[in-house]
Every structure is written in structure tokens, then in C-alpha cells.
Amino acid sequence: MSEEPESVSAEASGQEGVTPDRLLHTGAVERPTAEDLVLASGRDLNPRNLEWARRRLAEDGRSAVDRLLP
């Protein structure tokens, strides 16, 4: 793994569009947020999608994210 600081963008490191492993998390410790669910679904972050995600999390809890990801 690279020793680059987290503030270095992926573009500057020559890996445009690739998130460094050190910035990824599984959510195993913290509850997923509505923003996490929207992003996992591939939708745009906007008020309508955030409300959709809040409802899904209220109904399904953590498994709402599990259902979206392989």
C-alpha cells in the first residue's frame, strides 16, 4: 500500500477514480447512514434519495445496505 497522506487525491496519485484501501470501511462498527445507503445504491445524493434511504434504514436497519451489496 502507498504511504501517501489521506489528503492526496486519487488523481494526483495517478489512480483516478480509485479509492485507497485506507479510506474504505465496512460499516461493521458504526451504523450505516442514509448517505451510505444512497451511495451504495448508486443514486445521486439529493433530498429525495436521502429520505428514501432513511425510510429503508428505519424499516430494514443494517440489512438495507447488505441487500444492495454483493
Side-chain angles (χ1 to χ4, degrees), residues 47-61:
R48 181 179 176 189
N49 290 338
L50 287 169
E51 185 56 36
W52 165 83
R54 286 184 193 103
R55 286 192 311 271
R56 291 285 304 263
L57 287 169
E59 293 171 8
D60 302 331

PDB file of all heavy atoms in Angstrom, residues 47-61:
ATOM      1  N   PRO A  47     -32.125  15.367  -1.609  1.00  0.00           N
ATOM      2  CA  PRO A  47     -33.095  15.198  -0.516  1.00  0.00           C
ATOM      3  C   PRO A  47     -34.064  14.030  -0.718  1.00  0.00           C
ATOM      4  O   PRO A  47     -34.379  13.306   0.229  1.00  0.00           O
ATOM      5  CB  PRO A  47     -33.837  16.538  -0.486  1.00  0.00           C
ATOM      6  CG  PRO A  47     -32.839  17.512  -1.020  1.00  0.00           C
ATOM      7  CD  PRO A  47     -32.084  16.759  -2.081  1.00  0.00           C
ATOM      8  N   ARG A  48     -34.518  13.822  -1.944  1.00  0.00           N
ATOM      9  CA  ARG A  48     -35.476  12.733  -2.201  1.00  0.00           C
ATOM     10  C   ARG A  48     -34.837  11.370  -1.927  1.00  0.00           C
ATOM     11  O   ARG A  48     -35.441  10.517  -1.280  1.00  0.00           O
ATOM     12  CB  ARG A  48     -35.951  12.820  -3.640  1.00  0.00           C
ATOM     13  CG  ARG A  48     -36.941  11.763  -4.001  1.00  0.00           C
ATOM     14  CD  ARG A  48     -37.409  11.904  -5.421  1.00  0.00           C
ATOM     15  NE  ARG A  48     -38.297  10.817  -5.773  1.00  0.00           N
ATOM     16  CZ  ARG A  48     -38.724  10.594  -6.985  1.00  0.00           C
ATOM     17  NH1 ARG A  48     -38.352  11.386  -7.966  1.00  0.00           N
ATOM     18  NH2 ARG A  48     -39.525   9.597  -7.228  1.00  0.00           N
ATOM     19  N   ASN A  49     -33.615  11.169  -2.417  1.00  0.00           N
ATOM     20  CA  ASN A  49     -32.945   9.888  -2.210  1.00  0.00           C
ATOM     21  C   ASN A  49     -32.536   9.689  -0.753  1.00  0.00           C
ATOM     22  O   ASN A  49     -32.545   8.559  -0.250  1.00  0.00           O
ATOM     23  CB  ASN A  49     -31.737   9.758  -3.133  1.00  0.00           C
ATOM     24  CG  ASN A  49     -32.154   9.587  -4.577  1.00  0.00           C
ATOM     25  OD1 ASN A  49     -33.271   9.172  -4.878  1.00  0.00           O
ATOM     26  ND2 ASN A  49     -31.265   9.928  -5.487  1.00  0.00           N
ATOM     27  N   LEU A  50     -32.173  10.751  -0.075  1.00  0.00           N
ATOM     28  CA  LEU A  50     -31.837  10.637   1.344  1.00  0.00           C
ATOM     29  C   LEU A  50     -33.062  10.231   2.160  1.00  0.00           C
ATOM     30  O   LEU A  50     -32.962   9.420   3.080  1.00  0.00           O
ATOM     31  CB  LEU A  50     -31.233  11.937   1.868  1.00  0.00           C
ATOM     32  CG  LEU A  50     -29.806  12.217   1.399  1.00  0.00           C
ATOM     33  CD1 LEU A  50     -29.402  13.644   1.752  1.00  0.00           C
ATOM     34  CD2 LEU A  50     -28.839  11.225   2.007  1.00  0.00           C
ATOM     35  N   GLU A  51     -34.216  10.769   1.800  1.00  0.00           N
ATOM     36  CA  GLU A  51     -35.446  10.387   2.501  1.00  0.00           C
ATOM     37  C   GLU A  51     -35.777   8.926   2.232  1.00  0.00           C
ATOM     38  O   GLU A  51     -36.172   8.186   3.134  1.00  0.00           O
ATOM     39  CB  GLU A  51     -36.606  11.291   2.080  1.00  0.00           C
ATOM     40  CG  GLU A  51     -37.884  11.027   2.855  1.00  0.00           C
ATOM     41  CD  GLU A  51     -37.706  11.131   4.363  1.00  0.00           C
ATOM     42  OE1 GLU A  51     -36.934  11.983   4.833  1.00  0.00           O
ATOM     43  OE2 GLU A  51     -38.346  10.337   5.086  1.00  0.00           O
ATOM     44  N   TRP A  52     -35.601   8.485   0.980  1.00  0.00           N
ATOM     45  CA  TRP A  52     -35.790   7.072   0.642  1.00  0.00           C
ATOM     46  C   TRP A  52     -34.886   6.202   1.513  1.00  0.00           C
ATOM     47  O   TRP A  52     -35.329   5.198   2.064  1.00  0.00           O
ATOM     48  CB  TRP A  52     -35.468   6.860  -0.844  1.00  0.00           C
ATOM     49  CG  TRP A  52     -35.275   5.424  -1.198  1.00  0.00           C
ATOM     50  CD1 TRP A  52     -36.251   4.511  -1.480  1.00  0.00           C
ATOM     51  CD2 TRP A  52     -34.033   4.729  -1.287  1.00  0.00           C
ATOM     52  NE1 TRP A  52     -35.685   3.286  -1.748  1.00  0.00           N
ATOM     53  CE2 TRP A  52     -34.314   3.396  -1.640  1.00  0.00           C
ATOM     54  CE3 TRP A  52     -32.707   5.096  -1.112  1.00  0.00           C
ATOM     55  CZ2 TRP A  52     -33.322   2.440  -1.813  1.00  0.00           C
ATOM     56  CZ3 TRP A  52     -31.721   4.145  -1.286  1.00  0.00           C
ATOM     57  CH2 TRP A  52     -32.024   2.835  -1.628  1.00  0.00           C
ATOM     58  N   ALA A  53     -33.628   6.601   1.639  1.00  0.00           N
ATOM     59  CA  ALA A  53     -32.654   5.826   2.420  1.00  0.00           C
ATOM     60  C   ALA A  53     -33.026   5.814   3.900  1.00  0.00           C
ATOM     61  O   ALA A  53     -32.888   4.784   4.565  1.00  0.00           O
ATOM     62  CB  ALA A  53     -31.257   6.398   2.215  1.00  0.00           C
ATOM     63  N   ARG A  54     -33.496   6.924   4.421  1.00  0.00           N
ATOM     64  CA  ARG A  54     -33.905   6.974   5.832  1.00  0.00           C
ATOM     65  C   ARG A  54     -35.050   5.997   6.093  1.00  0.00           C
ATOM     66  O   ARG A  54     -35.073   5.303   7.112  1.00  0.00           O
ATOM     67  CB  ARG A  54     -34.308   8.392   6.220  1.00  0.00           C
ATOM     68  CG  ARG A  54     -33.145   9.325   6.376  1.00  0.00           C
ATOM     69  CD  ARG A  54     -33.595  10.706   6.868  1.00  0.00           C
ATOM     70  NE  ARG A  54     -32.509  11.637   6.709  1.00  0.00           N
ATOM     71  CZ  ARG A  54     -32.416  12.544   5.733  1.00  0.00           C
ATOM     72  NH1 ARG A  54     -33.387  12.682   4.842  1.00  0.00           N
ATOM     73  NH2 ARG A  54     -31.367  13.342   5.649  1.00  0.00           N
ATOM     74  N   ARG A  55     -35.999   5.954   5.162  1.00  0.00           N
ATOM     75  CA  ARG A  55     -37.120   5.014   5.318  1.00  0.00           C
ATOM     76  C   ARG A  55     -36.628   3.571   5.268  1.00  0.00           C
ATOM     77  O   ARG A  55     -37.046   2.739   6.079  1.00  0.00           O
ATOM     78  CB  ARG A  55     -38.174   5.246   4.228  1.00  0.00           C
ATOM     79  CG  ARG A  55     -39.014   6.484   4.430  1.00  0.00           C
ATOM     80  CD  ARG A  55     -40.232   6.518   3.509  1.00  0.00           C
ATOM     81  NE  ARG A  55     -39.917   6.243   2.111  1.00  0.00           N
ATOM     82  CZ  ARG A  55     -39.572   7.159   1.206  1.00  0.00           C
ATOM     83  NH1 ARG A  55     -39.492   8.428   1.555  1.00  0.00           N
ATOM     84  NH2 ARG A  55     -39.321   6.810  -0.043  1.00  0.00           N
ATOM     85  N   ARG A  56     -35.760   3.256   4.319  1.00  0.00           N
ATOM     86  CA  ARG A  56     -35.222   1.890   4.205  1.00  0.00           C
ATOM     87  C   ARG A  56     -34.466   1.497   5.465  1.00  0.00           C
ATOM     88  O   ARG A  56     -34.609   0.381   5.954  1.00  0.00           O
ATOM     89  CB  ARG A  56     -34.275   1.773   2.999  1.00  0.00           C
ATOM     90  CG  ARG A  56     -34.909   1.865   1.654  1.00  0.00           C
ATOM     91  CD  ARG A  56     -35.666   0.603   1.246  1.00  0.00           C
ATOM     92  NE  ARG A  56     -34.885  -0.599   1.265  1.00  0.00           N
ATOM     93  CZ  ARG A  56     -34.284  -1.152   0.225  1.00  0.00           C
ATOM     94  NH1 ARG A  56     -34.359  -0.581  -0.943  1.00  0.00           N
ATOM     95  NH2 ARG A  56     -33.618  -2.284   0.358  1.00  0.00           N
ATOM     96  N   LEU A  57     -33.654   2.411   5.998  1.00  0.00           N
ATOM     97  CA  LEU A  57     -32.899   2.110   7.215  1.00  0.00           C
ATOM     98  C   LEU A  57     -33.828   1.927   8.403  1.00  0.00           C
ATOM     99  O   LEU A  57     -33.595   1.073   9.254  1.00  0.00           O
ATOM    100  CB  LEU A  57     -31.868   3.203   7.490  1.00  0.00           C
ATOM    101  CG  LEU A  57     -30.658   3.202   6.552  1.00  0.00           C
ATOM    102  CD1 LEU A  57     -29.840   4.474   6.746  1.00  0.00           C
ATOM    103  CD2 LEU A  57     -29.804   1.971   6.774  1.00  0.00           C
ATOM    104  N   ALA A  58     -34.895   2.722   8.461  1.00  0.00           N
ATOM    105  CA  ALA A  58     -35.850   2.580   9.562  1.00  0.00           C
ATOM    106  C   ALA A  58     -36.568   1.234   9.489  1.00  0.00           C
ATOM    107  O   ALA A  58     -36.828   0.604  10.516  1.00  0.00           O
ATOM    108  CB  ALA A  58     -36.863   3.721   9.518  1.00  0.00           C
ATOM    109  N   GLU A  59     -36.873   0.778   8.274  1.00  0.00           N
ATOM    110  CA  GLU A  59     -37.581  -0.487   8.098  1.00  0.00           C
ATOM    111  C   GLU A  59     -36.664  -1.700   8.225  1.00  0.00           C
ATOM    112  O   GLU A  59     -37.030  -2.696   8.841  1.00  0.00           O
ATOM    113  CB  GLU A  59     -38.256  -0.518   6.723  1.00  0.00           C
ATOM    114  CG  GLU A  59     -39.372   0.486   6.564  1.00  0.00           C
ATOM    115  CD  GLU A  59     -39.856   0.579   5.124  1.00  0.00           C
ATOM    116  OE1 GLU A  59     -39.437  -0.244   4.280  1.00  0.00           O
ATOM    117  OE2 GLU A  59     -40.652   1.485   4.846  1.00  0.00           O
ATOM    118  N   ASP A  60     -35.479  -1.623   7.602  1.00  0.00           N
ATOM    119  CA  ASP A  60     -34.617  -2.799   7.467  1.00  0.00           C
ATOM    120  C   ASP A  60     -33.355  -2.767   8.307  1.00  0.00           C
ATOM    121  O   ASP A  60     -32.660  -3.777   8.398  1.00  0.00           O
ATOM    122  CB  ASP A  60     -34.205  -2.978   6.004  1.00  0.00           C
ATOM    123  CG  ASP A  60     -35.397  -3.133   5.084  1.00  0.00           C
ATOM    124  OD1 ASP A  60     -36.437  -3.636   5.544  1.00  0.00           O
ATOM    125  OD2 ASP A  60     -35.288  -2.765   3.908  1.00  0.00           O
ATOM    126  N   GLY A  61     -33.026  -1.608   8.878  1.00  0.00           N
ATOM    127  CA  GLY A  61     -31.800  -1.493   9.655  1.00  0.00           C
ATOM    128  C   GLY A  61     -30.567  -1.736   8.801  1.00  0.00           C
ATOM    129  O   GLY A  61     -30.558  -1.452   7.605  1.00  0.00           O
TER     130      GLY A  61
END
